[in-house]
Every structure is written in C-alpha cells, then in structure tokens.
Amino acid sequence: MADPFHTALCERTGCRYPIIQTAMGWVATPDLVIASCQAGALGFLAGAVMTPPELTTAIARVKAVTNAPFGVNFHMFQPGAEEIVDIIIREKVAAVSFGRGPNADMIARFRDAGILTIPTVGALKHARKVADLGVDMITVQGGEGGGHTGGVATTVLLPQILDEIDIPVVAAGGFGDGRGLAAALAYGAAGIAMGTRFLLCKESPVPPGTKDKYLNARGEDIIVSSKIDGLPQRAILNEKLRKIEQSSPLLRWREAIIAGLELKKQTGASSLELLRSLRSMTAQSEMTLTQAMMAAASPMLIRKAIVEGKPEQGIMASGQVAGRIEEIPSCQELIENIMSDASARIASLCG
C-alpha cells in the first residue's frame, strides 16, 4: 500500500510530513520555522511583517541551522514588496504563500525560479481565480481559522473546492491533531495547515502571559469581528476587542491612524510608501481607503498582544481550535503526536 502521508505537498516541496506551519505575523519567526521544519513540517516565515533587510536576515538564519525546505509569506501591498519578491527568488526558498496580490506574471516568475506558489483562500471564487492564474497549490481556510476568515466552515468549503479545482489543496481552519490530518486526507486534501496550534508551541516567541490567554480561551470566546479593519477577522474576545466592537466608526478610524503611525515607525516606510501600499490594497480588493488603513494598521494591534506581551491591550488573532488546546508541546512533540494519532486513525479505518 502506498504511504498515505506522502502526498503532493511532500512530493513537491520536500517536507517530510503533509503539515504546514502558517506564517502568522510576529509569530512565524526563524526559530519557530526552524523547529517546525526540523520536525518534518513545511514552515513559513512571516515576511508580510518584515522589511526587506529583516527578511534577508531571517532567511539566512533558517538556512544556517537547517537544510529542510521552508517558505515565505508576503503581501504585494506591503512596503518594499518588489524588493521582497526579488529576495525570495534570489534565495530560492521552497515555496511562497500570499493572500491577495501576485498576478499571473508574478506567479510565472516564481515558477521559473523553481518556487512553488501556495496562496490561501477562504471562498470558492477566490480558489477559482488563483487556479486560473497558474498557482501550484491552494490552502483552503474555512471559517474556523484565525485572523481574516470567511463564513463557510472547512467541512463545507474544502470538498466544494476539491470538486472544482484540479491542483493539490491543503486544508486549514480547525486543525490541531492527528484526527484532523486523517480527516483532511480522507476528504482528498494534500495535507493540513495550522497556525494557532503552532503558536502554542514551546518555540513560539509569544510571551507566556499571552499564551496563557490562548490556553484559557473557550470556543465561544473566539469570535468573528468586522470592526477591527472592516473585514471578518477571528480573534479572542478580550478587553481591547470589546472596546473596538462598541466603538463608533470615528473612534475606530482614530485607532487606525495611531496604529498606522506606529506601523510607519516600525517598518521605516515613508508616508509616500504607505500611501502607495494603501492604494494597492484598494485596487486589489473591494476595500475603501478607510478599511485599507485599518487593515494595514491592524498588525500593530496584534503585535501589542503577541510581541509586547500585553494581551488585553491588543488583538489576539486565533482559530477556534484554541478552545480545545490544553498544552504547549515542542514542535517535535506536536508533529510526532499528530503523525502517530493520524496513523492509528487510518489503520483502524482500514481494519
């Protein structure tokens, strides 16, 4: 019998197991990527919140420690995006992930460089679009997933897209153990992608106090809000999110300006570069300029919680799966447990 775990994801990227560690902003640092890759997963660096020099340093750090394949996530509307694309191609990482952004020409550039394109989508129409652009694989995130998310559950969205798309699909949204991996493979997916589960690993840079907030969250505490940046975003309901939910549009706009100024300071981007990024966001989506400003600034609210260790003052993006996570293993322990459990599940089904 063929190995059920040696899927197209493993075959095409070179990772040992069909598991992706997603590129959570401020969380998917070199140390987390190194740990997840050495354990057999395909880790992605959070290039979307890095400057070009920071990304260059991060890639060098990963390469200095491990020969395992890894990827980089970025957005075409972030400051320095063109330079980041050049860095990714020059460094020849295994894969690149993104949401909105690259067009067919950009995807062809990655393909010519031998870099797999694995965008994340949350709707069937978006899956169709990126497939038509020529991407290599698609990560499908159901509504259970953390951060920006859609309204369709993984159990509905995944088979819907698998029935229509003729390239490998990775399942995301609600996964955190071997049962989930076995179920995703049964659906026909090439593997699973996990964010929150990797956030709650020992190698994750998130401060202990913030990790405790995640561990103590119940499923009903992890809500979807459209008031953070105008788009549906799943996060843990805390003091900051309650204030945002109850605030007026004017106060949310003020919050976005404050966070935007902090973003400008952190990235070193000029006012003109930020304005170009905002215009790019509005051109590539149905966002208004106000929404784009809030979306560009929202990572700073996340940074407050998961970098500065002030969970009540920032946003804690989270998948619903956090409601059933009770421990913080190492990446090695996590993946070993997932693979052992998935193997047992599939063996029991096969009698």
Side-chain angles (χ1 to χ4, degrees):
M1 179 183 289
D3 180 358
F5 300 112
H6 190 73
T7 68
L9 176 61
C10 302
E11 183 69 31
R12 301 194 65 182
T13 67
C15 62
R16 195 154 72 248
Y17 301 125
I19 300 171
I20 286 177
Q21 164 252 302
T22 64
M24 299 159 283
W26 316 114
V27 178
T29 58
D31 286 347
L32 181 61
V33 171
I34 290 167
S36 63
C37 289
Q38 288 183 324
L42 180 67
F44 277 84
L45 283 168
V49 294
M50 296 181 187
T51 63
E54 287 171 341
L55 179 59
T56 299
T57 300
I59 292 174
R61 162 71 178 157
V62 176
K63 286 185 172 183
V65 178
T66 180
N67 292 322
F70 67 97
V72 172
N73 172 265
F74 79 106
H75 299 311
M76 276 308 297
F77 49 75
Q78 71 186 87
E82 295 292 342
E83 187 177 351
I84 283 174
V85 170
D86 291 339
I87 292 168
I88 292 170
I89 292 174
R90 183 183 71 232
E91 295 295 336
K92 294 187 180 297
V93 300
V96 62
S97 65
F98 50 85
R100 302 180 186 90
N103 54 27
D105 291 339
M106 180 70 69
I107 289 167
R109 279 190 67 194
F110 286 127
R111 184 188 304 112
D112 291 343
I115 298 170
L116 294 181
T117 49
I118 314 177
T120 298
V121 302
L124 177 58
K125 65 178 181 180
H126 296 146
R128 289 172 177 151
K129 180 177 180 180
V130 295
D132 289 342
L133 290 175
V135 301
D136 298 289
M137 300 184 194
I138 301 174
T139 297
V140 172
Q141 178 178 301
E144 302 94 323
H148 289 114
T149 193
V152 181
T154 303
T155 51
V156 175
L157 183 63
L158 179 59
Q160 189 179 40
I161 290 178
L162 282 166
D163 285 345
E164 287 214 22
I165 303 301
D166 196 27
I167 56 177
V169 169
V170 177
F175 296 98
D177 56 22
R179 289 177 298 184
L181 174 57
L185 295 178
Y187 271 109
I192 58 173
M194 304 186 299
T196 305
R197 179 61 273 196
F198 277 106
L199 182 151
L200 291 171
C201 279
K202 291 178 181 176
E203 295 88 351
S204 162
V206 176
T210 302
K211 283 182 178 176
D212 286 342
K213 292 290 185 180
Y214 276 89
L215 287 176
N216 292 327
R218 301 167 300 174
E220 57 266 32
D221 298 327
I222 306 169
I223 69 166
V224 174
S225 172
S226 295
K227 293 188 176 181
I228 299 171
D229 60 9
L231 298 174
Q233 188 165 172
R234 187 176 291 284
I236 295 174
L237 185 61
N238 63 351
E239 180 182 342
K240 184 65 175 181
L241 186 51
R242 284 191 181 92
K243 287 182 178 179
I244 291 174
E245 283 287 294
Q246 296 167 4
S247 65
S248 67
L250 182 60
L251 288 176
R252 293 199 300 275
W253 177 237
R254 176 179 175 274
E255 186 81 44
I257 292 175
I258 293 172
L261 292 173
E262 181 63 22
L263 176 65
K264 182 174 181 292
K265 178 181 177 181
Q266 289 289 332
T267 62
S270 66
S271 298
L272 181 58
E273 286 175 320
L274 284 179
L275 181 59
R276 286 173 178 165
S277 295
L278 294 175
R279 286 178 174 172
S280 177
M281 290 173 72
T282 57
Q284 295 176 26
S285 67
E286 299 175 355
M287 287 184 180
T288 65
L289 183 60
T290 301
Q291 287 176 323
M293 180 66 179
M294 294 168 70
S298 65
M300 301 312 298
L301 297 176
I302 295 174
R303 189 180 190 279
K304 180 77 69 175
I306 66 174
V307 177
E308 298 179 24
K310 301 174 181 177
E312 291 301 323
Q313 298 178 32
I315 297 299
M316 291 185 287
S318 176
Q320 283 184 310
V321 73
R324 62 184 183 87
I325 295 176
E326 298 178 346
E327 58 185 2
I328 300 179
S330 67
C331 286
Q332 184 70 40
E333 292 167 338
L334 171 64
I335 293 176
E336 286 179 354
N337 289 339
I338 287 175
M339 296 309 301
S340 176
D341 187 21
S343 296
R345 300 278 174 177
I346 290 175
S348 67
L349 290 172
C350 294

